[in-house]
Structure formats: structure tokens, C-alpha cells
């Protein structure tokens, strides 16, 4: 871990790995989700926006992943003109298609000489044997990680949020990916309805039992195009930044120091955000987390 950092951010890992600033280019590759098309459910996870968390991605045009990459590099290059780029298949479930289609889309992105690796976000129940074999093949040639949306380990929350697969499916997927030496980044949401802070900490402890590469902690944002908004329009996950920061610091303390941290806030377009209304102030939230860590003289892994 960098001495001046109190947690092991993915940006530090990537800077050390590639030798310079590394940026993910969000791509909507035209996939859908088995929790929306009826394969395992309809309507999606209750907290999910209808864009499947891909609102910030470039829109998909069939056969034109290259266009999406160009568009994203154009957006990013003003801020980081000399960055390393990773293709980030972000919207919906990016292993949910026939393996030939997956192969062609992943390799289309990787064939761009400006792309140095690939990040694939998916559901643990979309990792059949042939998909795992393809991922293993790509992982042997390119820098890669897979993101798995777990969100919570608690069955009652998973049921209430219509997540649509059991915890065992996540554990099985993690074991399969680890056996193929594929990096895993697990996603958890802090502040799902009905969960206590102790339950959220239990989810963090659980995912850290396996040698995962990274962890994304999402602040639970209520968005206006989600099923949850229709049933709980007044829901607010945390009343204040201070309350949220206190919990994040306690999470960081129990995360082993070698697990990279990919997110500690939420990330939704402001026009969709309903609550918490302060959630868009990402810089303030991150600064407050760092301040709290400094003041407590705490750091990632202090209590792991
Ligand atoms: S959160 Fe992911 S798995 Fe759930 S509905 Fe949205 S895209 Fe599908």
C-alpha cells in the first residue's frame, strides 16, 4: 500500500502496474440481463436503474464497439491525454450471450491498439463453463478482471431486492474464477433497505474470506427509474455524509490490505438521483473518508 494512502486504491495499483494513469472506458456492448428478460426474473434488481448501471457508458451500435471506444477516449483525453485505457464492459450483464458473440465483442475491443486490457461486469449466474473457458483464454493474453455484483450476503435482502440468484452461486463463481487465476472484483451495496450496519459489515467480511482482487462499496442511491423508487419513493439509505463515512471507515478497517478498493461512493447521473441528495458530492465524501481515517489514525486492514 502507498505510504500516503490509508487504503489501497485501484488507481494506485494500476499506476504501479502500467506505469501511468489508467482509465476505464465504459462500453455498452448491447447485452441485457437474465433478471430483466425473464430467464431468472423480470424487472431487474429493485435498486437497478433501467440502464443496468450503464448510464455513463457510450451507447451500443451493433458492430461498432470501436466507435464507443473512440467516443470515450475523446471524452477522457482532455483530462488525461496520456493515459492507459481499459475497455470496461459495464452495462447490464456482460457475459450473458452466446460465447461466439462474447468472443467477437471482447476481441473487437482488445484489437484496438490503444486498449491495454479488459474489465467485464456480470452476474455470477452468467458464467457457464464455455464462458469461463473464454475468460481464461483472454486472461492468459491480456490484463483483465471480472466484476461480480453480489450486493449483500443476506437471503432476506436478496429476496426483497429481487436479485434472483442465491449466495451459493456467487461462491461457486468465485471458486471457478480463482481456479483459473482470474482477478475478481466483488460489488456490495451499503444501505440496502432493512439492513443493519452489522449485516453490511458481515457482507464485507464474507467476500474478503476469498482471495479476491478488489472490492467496490456502493452507496445505496435511490434512482427514479428503479423498481425500488416505485415501492419506496421516500427511502433514504443514510441520513448524512457523516453517518455513511463512519460506516465506510469501519468497512475499510476489516478489509485485508492487499484487496484493491475500486469504489467507496455511488455513481449515478444526477438527473436520476432521488436520495441521498448529498450523494453526488463524491469529492466531499471521499475527502471526508480520508479525513476520518487520518483523525482516527486508521487504515485499511487495521482490524482485518
Ligand atoms: S443490477 Fe445488474 S443483475 Fe441486477 S438487474 Fe441491474 S443489470 Fe441486471
Amino acid at each position: 500500500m502507498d505510504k500516503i494512502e490509508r487504503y489501497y486504491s485501484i488507481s494506485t495499483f494500476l499506476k504501479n502496474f502500467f506505469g501511468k494513469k489508467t482509465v476505464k472506458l465504459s462500453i455498452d456492448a448491447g447485452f441485457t440481463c437474465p433478471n430483466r428478460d425473464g430467464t431468472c426474473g423480470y424487472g431487474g434488481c429493485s435498486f437497478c436503474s433501467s440502464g443496468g448501471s450503464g448510464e455513463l457508458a457510450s451507447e451500443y451500435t451493433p458492430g461498432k464497439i470501436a466507435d464507443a471506444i473512440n467516443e470515450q477516449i475523446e471524452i477522457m483525453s482532455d483530462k488525461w491525454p496520456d493515459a492507459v485505457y481499459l475497455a470496461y464492459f459495464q452495462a447490464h450483464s456482460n457475459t450473458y450471450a452466446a460465447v461466439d458473440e462474447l468472443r467477437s465483442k471482447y476481441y473487437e475491443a482488445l484489437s484496438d491498439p490503444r486498449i491495454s486490457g479488459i474489465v467485464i461486469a456480470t452476474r455470477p449466474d452468467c458464467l457457464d463453463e464455455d464462458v469461463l473457458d473464454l475468460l481464461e483464454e483472454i486472461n492468459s493474453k491480456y490484463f483483465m478482471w471480472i466484476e461480480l455484483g453480489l450486493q449483500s450476503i443476506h437471503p432476506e435482502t436478496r429476496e426483497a431486492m429481487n436479485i434472483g440468484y442465491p449466495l451459493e452461486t456467487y461462491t461457486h463463481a468465485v471458486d471457478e474464477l480463482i481456479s483459473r487465476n482470474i482477478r475478481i472484483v466483488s460489488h456490495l451495496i451499503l444501505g440496502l433497505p432493512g439492513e443493519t450496519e452489522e449485516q453490511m459489515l458481515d457482507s464485507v467480511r464474507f467476500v474478503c474470506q476469498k482471495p479476491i482482487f478488489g472490492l467496490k462499496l456502493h452507496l445505496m442511491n435511490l434512482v427514479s427509474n428503479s423498481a425500488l423508487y416505485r415501492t419506496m419513493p421516500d427511502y433514504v439509505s443514510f441520513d448524512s455524509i457523516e453517518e455513511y463515512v463512519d460506516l465506510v471507515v469501519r468497512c475499510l478497517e476489516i478489509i485485508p490490505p492487499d484487496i484493491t478498493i475500486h469504489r467507496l461512493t455511488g455513481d449515478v447521473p444526477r438527473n436520476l438521483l432521488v436520495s441521498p441528495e448529498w450523494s453526488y458530492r463524491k469529492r466531499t465524501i471521499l475527502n471526508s473518508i480520508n479525513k476520518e481515517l487520518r483523525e482516527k489514525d486508521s487504515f485499511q486492514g487495521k482490524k482485518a
Side-chain angles (χ1 to χ4, degrees):
M1 200 187 311
D2 191 311
K3 280 209 172 54
I4 56 166
E5 275 196 340
R6 288 180 181 260
Y7 59 89
Y8 188 15
S9 72
I10 183 59
S11 54
T12 296
F13 170 90
L14 290 170
K15 187 144 193 238
N16 291 336
F17 190 90
F18 287 108
K20 55 175 145 172
K21 175 76 188 171
T22 304
V23 176
K24 286 186 294 174
L25 308 176
S26 295
I27 294 169
D28 179 345
F31 298 115
T32 174
C33 169
N35 205 16
R36 289 190 176 278
D37 70 5
T39 301
C40 75
Y42 289 104
C45 306
S46 304
F47 45 79
C48 182
S49 65
S50 56
S53 309
E55 280 79 8
L56 304 176
S58 284
E59 208 175 314
Y60 177 63
T61 313
K64 292 284 172 62
I65 285 178
D67 287 355
I69 289 172
N70 284 335
E71 185 183 310
Q72 288 278 306
I73 289 181
E74 218 163 276
I75 295 168
M76 299 293 176
S77 58
D78 276 354
K79 203 166 169 194
W80 295 293
D82 183 33
V84 168
Y85 296 115
L86 306 178
Y88 183 22
F89 286 75
Q90 181 183 22
H92 297 287
S93 301
N94 293 278
T95 58
Y96 183 51
V99 75
D100 288 347
E101 181 184 341
L102 298 177
R103 172 182 290 279
S104 125
K105 288 182 174 176
Y106 300 157
Y107 277 107
E108 184 186 345
L110 288 163
S111 67
D112 186 312
R114 298 167 299 175
I115 295 295
S116 300
I118 187 167
V119 176
I120 299 169
T122 194
R123 288 168 57 96
D125 58 354
C126 296
L127 290 170
D128 292 343
E129 198 71 19
D130 53 353
V131 174
L132 286 165
D133 289 346
L134 172 62
L135 297 179
E136 186 174 17
E137 172 194 313
I138 293 175
N139 190 53
S140 69
K141 297 188 274 192
Y142 298 94
F143 179 83
M144 183 177 93
W145 75 72
I146 300 295
E147 300 198 353
L148 297 178
L150 175 65
Q151 323 309 2
S152 165
I153 63 166
H154 301 287
E156 60 281 10
T157 309
R158 301 179 63 74
E159 177 84 15
M161 292 296 105
N162 192 39
I163 290 174
Y165 70 85
L167 180 59
E168 294 69 39
T169 305
Y170 166 83
T171 309
H172 178 70
V174 166
D175 289 341
E176 289 288 335
L177 290 165
I178 288 173
S179 74
R180 289 167 162 85
N181 287 319
I182 296 173
R183 295 181 187 87
I184 300 162
V185 174
S186 298
H187 291 218
L188 294 173
I189 298 179
L190 301 177
L192 286 167
E195 289 210 339
T196 63
E197 292 194 349
E198 204 42 55
Q199 283 181 301
M200 299 175 214
L201 291 163
D202 281 343
S203 290
V204 173
R205 280 186 201 98
F206 180 87
V207 297
C208 292
Q209 285 169 1
K210 300 275 183 183
I212 57 172
F213 168 62
L215 191 52
K216 266 192 185 181
L217 296 178
H218 296 264
L219 163 61
M220 168 64 219
N221 284 313
L222 185 64
V223 288
S224 56
N225 59 355
S226 64
L228 189 59
Y229 179 64
R230 290 192 287 281
T231 54
M232 298 178 75
D234 299 324
Y235 182 68
V236 180
S237 53
F238 293 91
D239 288 331
S240 66
I241 292 183
E242 292 71 25
E243 188 190 341
Y244 180 66
V245 165
D246 176 73
L247 177 64
V248 169
V249 166
R250 286 190 285 140
C251 289
L252 286 169
E253 288 175 339
I254 59 172
I255 299 171
D258 58 332
I259 292 181
T260 51
I261 303 299
H262 294 236
R263 179 174 295 286
L264 293 174
T265 60
D267 199 12
V268 292
R270 202 163 161 187
N271 62 326
L272 297 179
L273 178 67
V274 177
S275 73
E277 52 83 23
W278 43 264
S279 169
Y280 69 90
R281 293 163 59 196
K282 279 170 58 179
R283 188 42 53 200
T284 304
I285 298 168
L286 290 173
N287 286 343
S288 303
I289 292 168
N290 282 315
K291 183 164 173 277
E292 177 81 355
L293 286 166
R294 270 197 313 277
E295 286 178 359
K296 281 181 76 181
D297 191 23
S298 193
F299 47 85
Q300 180 182 342
K302 185 177 185 184
K303 298 180 181 169

